[in-house]
Amino acid sequence: MEWLFSISFDRKMLTLKAKLIYHTDQIERIRIIGRNRTITLQNNRPFLEARGLKHKRIEWKLIEGKMNNAHLLQHIINTIESFLKGKERFFYK
């Protein structure tokens, strides 16, 4: 599954591409591709959904790539969570 999303950061609009690259009953890995950087994030959302833990916070790990700005990383994670929960509409590719 692939989708595009935009976030505003430092008075600029960043358009990023997200791709679900790995999915099991316990974890999922999502690759985020920007203009000059690629990172891979891992979360435990499938495990929490299987257990019925709706209110427990999803744990995210940066497993590939490097992010120099923690605020930008958190903004990307929040946008991805919104997409996965189906709260916002995004462009599918």
Side-chain angles (χ1 to χ4, degrees), residues 20-29 43-47 50:
L20 182 64
I21 58 171
Y22 182 73
H23 179 77
T24 64
D25 294 338
Q26 295 181 349
I27 64 169
E28 18 178 55
R29 291 185 183 152
N43 68 43
N44 64 341
R45 188 179 66 90
F47 176 76

Side-chain angles (χ1 to χ4, degrees), residues 78-93:
N78 291 341
T79 306
I80 292 171
E81 281 185 13
S82 296
F83 173 77
L84 294 174
K85 290 179 182 176
K87 290 184 177 177
E88 295 182 6
R89 295 184 184 254
F90 293 82
F91 301 108
Y92 284 93
K93 191 171 186 182

Side-chain angles (χ1 to χ4, degrees), residues 3 10-11 21 23 30-31 37 49 53 55 66 74 76 78-79 84:
W3 68 96
D10 198 22
R11 297 182 186 157
I21 58 171
H23 179 77
I30 300 171
R31 179 164 290 145
R37 185 168 301 191
E49 286 183 352
L53 303 172
H55 303 292
K66 185 177 178 183
Q74 189 60 46
I76 291 170
N78 291 341
T79 306
L84 294 174

Side-chain angles (χ1 to χ4, degrees), residues 28-77:
E28 18 178 55
R29 291 185 183 152
I30 300 171
R31 179 164 290 145
I32 309 299
I33 302 166
R35 188 173 57 177
N36 60 354
R37 185 168 301 191
T38 301
I39 60 171
T40 304
L41 299 170
Q42 176 176 305
N43 68 43
N44 64 341
R45 188 179 66 90
F47 176 76
L48 297 177
E49 286 183 352
R51 298 281 190 258
L53 303 172
K54 295 179 184 178
H55 303 292
K56 185 153 173 74
R57 187 171 181 206
I58 299 172
E59 295 178 18
W60 290 88
K61 292 180 187 175
L62 179 65
I63 59 172
E64 280 184 24
K66 185 177 178 183
M67 284 295 293
N68 297 329
N69 192 325
H71 178 71
L72 177 60
L73 179 62
Q74 189 60 46
H75 195 43
I76 291 170
I77 289 171

